[in-house]
Amino acid sequence: MPLSIHQLHSVFVGEVGGIDCRKPLDPEEVAAIEAGMDEYAVLIFRDQDISDAQQIAFTRHFGELESYNTPGHIRRREDSRLAPGIADFSNLDKHGKIMSDEDRVWFFKLGDRLWHSDSSFRPIPAKYSLLSGRVLPSWGANTEFADMRAAYDALDRRTKAEVEDLVCEHSLIYSREAIGFTDLTPEEITAFRPVRQRLVRTHPATGRKSLFLASHAGAIVGWTIPEARMFLRDLIEHATQREFVYSHSWRPHDLVMWDNRCTMHRARRFDRTEIRDVRRTTLAGDAPTIEKIA
Ligand code: MN
């Protein structure tokens, strides 16, 4: 069966049929998926019962895996249940037990329920993320996506001109502070020092502009903090209006792939006494969003 993509939402998101993500792809399939990502920004692959190694191999068709020495999600490598290359986004500890609601890893995970783009707090933010749903709770736990191209397009002309050259500062410190989690170690504060990102990005393949926002953004260069925070809050509210948002209701073995350069996403609540085992691979971005500032 040839690869097909069926649009699921009025402005973005496609469901891909006719593909087995466990097998090596041919160049035509890779090209069709990349074209689908350029058009839909989020692709859903149903019924993909893949292993971690297969997920990594599938991901690498589209670029290099992101790798950093400093932890982003604070779950240290030696504490992970999973092999290098795949990140554990479950609510399980290294022994496979549901983590305590007082676990610091859980506090970090709760911050993922704020709208964000993966690794926007890193100097070179991520390209695609791929999340595989292995075990899912009986209620809640949707992942919501917002189309930041549509959000940009819908800005009025004055706001477009205002945001065009703005540079924001992103840090995990800002997004965790937003949920009252401020108990960071000196090492974490050093590792999470803010990085600069353009507020408006142009997609390298399509030339479409989008807003590059996240709850990690806590400052705008040249603005006072209150003015910046209020404007960023307004922009996120604008960008996450229902008409720009798709809510993904997970089925076991769904594989969801999104372009962090032109979407935001957030996790939703679920019953934390049930297991949610989801695993992520992440593709490195090509370049910083700003030229190096001396
Ligand atoms: Mn995320």
Side-chain angles (χ1 to χ4, degrees), residues 116 118 265 280:
H116 67 282
D118 291 332
H265 60 279
R280 196 181 90 191

Side-chain angles (χ1 to χ4, degrees), residues 31-104:
I33 291 168
E34 282 180 338
M37 287 297 287
D38 291 342
E39 183 169 357
Y40 301 106
V42 180
L43 291 178
I44 314 292
F45 303 81
R46 299 278 192 186
D47 304 314
Q48 303 293 333
D49 186 3
I50 53 175
S51 68
D52 292 353
Q54 287 164 341
Q55 183 175 341
I56 290 169
F58 178 77
T59 304
R60 294 193 64 200
H61 286 104
F62 307 99
E64 293 300 316
L65 297 180
E66 184 179 72
S67 73
Y68 283 94
N69 294 325
T70 53
H73 282 81
I74 226 63
R75 196 183 320 226
R76 282 197 292 270
R77 199 65 256 166
E78 59 269 27
D79 292 336
S80 178
R81 298 177 301 139
L82 309 181
I86 193 148
D88 190 355
F89 278 78
S90 75
N91 60 337
L92 301 173
D93 65 20
K94 64 178 169 179
H95 307 295
K97 290 222 171 70
I98 290 174
M99 60 180 66
S100 153
D101 63 357
E102 293 178 17
D103 192 322
R104 298 182 85 252

